[in-house]
Amino acid sequence: MSQPDLKLSITFEFELSAPGELRELGHENLCKAMHDLLGAMVLQGMPTVTSKQLGKAGVSVLSHHHHLDVANTAAAAIPRAEYVAAAPHLTDDELVQLARRTSGKLPVIEGERARVLRRNALALVGEFRMIPCVVHARLSSGKDAQLQGRLNLTNGSVLLGDRDRQSRLQPNQDSLRVEGGGTGVGLKASCAGHTLSGPVIEVPLTELAAHRDTLIGLWQKS
């Protein structure tokens, strides 16, 4: 097969009026439905016609591929709180980018929508964003302690400092709190056990989202 000399791209945009059953589909299923509706008549017809027309000038089509995407512009606007709930580690500008990236491509069902938003948020920014924190916990000895660490806003995990990593915490304690460095914001947390790196302390995304403005503000200043 000879090597290509040129690369041709042709893009069309179609604005469509569609029945309700199509408008209610999630992005993946909507794309599949459109792919099936267009079928070989369009998806194979365009390369065939192109090959014939270019052949008149001695141009041969060596290979081709197509990309199909559908944006549901009739989809209801997603409240900002849903973006924050899925991605409390993103800045205001990044939340806008996330909204643009997922516009018209989100499932109707809220639980599925949250998973898609979370996946896209981590694809947009997956780096760990850490802030200093203090863990208020009860040790296995029964004593209350304040442990120094860093809270990861991206996934809610807490990394304790070298001094406190050997601390053993009481299991299933309701009083476990993580305070974002000097903010006075106390976040509910849990301890999933202990490893060689210390207690496995986790703050749920719901807690991070509830105090997102304060926490991301602290990260931006650090």
Side-chain angles (χ1 to χ4, degrees):
M1 182 177 180
S2 60
Q3 293 298 313
D5 306 302
L6 305 174
K7 184 173 184 179
L8 172 67
S9 295
I10 302 174
T11 302
F12 289 92
E13 287 189 0
F14 299 89
E15 294 186 355
L16 310 175
S17 175
E21 57 265 27
L22 284 177
R23 296 197 303 269
E24 294 174 1
L25 293 176
H27 180 249
E28 184 177 346
N29 288 331
L30 181 57
C31 287
K32 184 178 184 302
M34 284 295 177
H35 187 281
D36 292 343
L37 287 170
L38 293 173
M41 179 67 72
V42 173
L43 301 180
Q44 296 299 325
M46 177 63 174
T48 300
V49 172
T50 300
S51 180
K52 289 181 179 179
Q53 291 300 110
L54 295 180
K56 297 175 182 179
V59 178
S60 299
V61 176
L62 301 181
S63 65
H64 64 84
H65 73 278
H66 69 270
H67 172 73
L68 184 153
D69 195 14
V70 187
N72 187 352
T73 56
I78 305 300
R80 182 177 184 274
E82 284 198 41
Y83 293 101
V84 171
H89 69 295
L90 296 186
T91 65
D92 288 345
D93 288 343
E94 289 163 350
L95 286 174
V96 172
Q97 292 179 48
L98 177 62
R100 288 173 178 168
R101 173 181 287 200
T102 58
S103 177
K105 301 178 181 179
L106 295 173
V108 175
I109 301 175
E110 186 173 345
E112 294 180 4
R113 188 163 65 239
R115 286 191 289 273
V116 172
L117 282 173
R118 179 66 177 166
R119 184 170 65 250
N120 277 272
L122 292 176
L124 181 64
V125 177
E127 67 186 23
F128 287 174
R129 293 184 164 175
M130 315 289 286
I131 62 171
C133 70
V134 178
V135 179
H136 299 267
R138 181 164 293 122
L139 303 179
S140 57
S141 63
K143 294 181 179 180
D144 291 332
Q146 295 183 8
L147 312 176
Q148 302 295 322
R150 291 186 299 160
L151 170 62
N152 184 352
L153 299 182
T154 306
N155 62 16
S157 63
V158 175
L159 178 64
L160 294 181
D162 293 339
R163 186 193 68 179
D164 296 319
R165 286 183 184 173
Q166 301 307 313
S167 300
R168 303 288 296 184
L169 307 187
Q170 279 189 2
N172 305 319
Q173 55 180 291
D174 295 330
S175 58
L176 188 60
R177 294 289 185 276
V178 174
E179 179 186 347
T183 62
V185 173
L187 308 170
K188 296 179 182 179
S190 62
C191 179
H194 298 78
T195 68
L196 294 177
S197 300
V200 181
I201 301 171
E202 299 172 339
V203 176
L205 285 182
T206 51
E207 284 289 294
L208 296 177
H211 303 282
R212 175 262 173 194
D213 291 351
T214 300
L215 298 175
I216 201 67
L218 176 60
W219 176 79
Q220 288 178 306
K221 292 177 182 177
S222 61

